[in-house]
Amino acid sequence: GGLLSVLLRNPSVNAPKVYDALQISKGPNLGTNFTLCCPYTILAHYDELDFVEDCGVSRYLIRISVGLEDTDCIVSTILRALA
């Protein structure tokens, strides 16, 4: 499946709100066939966030691993969270 990396405008304010509003399972992708999202940079680089940001990767990056659900369902779920 697809993998999306999402960086929102005003990420320090909007990323936590959108992440919490996403009505999908949370966690890293470990081979599941359903859609998951996670705060990738925080999970993968928690002890080195300043270094990672110096490399151009935002600490507020949201990663969505797209599963096998109906495409319209996934898109509408993401759009609701963005609203």
Side-chain angles (χ1 to χ4, degrees):
L3 182 65
L4 307 171
S5 292
V6 180
L7 184 58
L8 302 163
R9 291 185 184 126
N10 194 8
S12 64
V13 172
N14 291 323
K17 290 179 183 179
V18 170
Y19 181 79
D20 289 344
L22 274 168
Q23 298 279 319
I24 57 177
S25 296
K26 308 295 199 287
N29 182 354
L30 300 174
T32 64
N33 62 358
F34 54 88
T35 301
L36 288 168
C37 72
C38 74
Y40 176 75
T41 310
I42 292 172
L43 286 180
H45 303 283
Y46 183 77
D47 290 330
E48 52 191 11
L49 292 174
D50 292 333
F51 169 75
V52 172
E53 284 195 326
D54 287 343
C55 293
V57 180
S58 173
R59 70 181 66 213
Y60 301 104
L61 186 76
I62 298 172
R63 186 162 280 179
I64 301 172
S65 174
V66 180
L68 298 176
E69 300 92 348
D70 178 71
T71 303
D72 292 335
C73 180
I74 296 169
V75 170
S76 66
T77 299
I78 293 170
L79 290 175
R80 275 194 309 275
L82 291 171

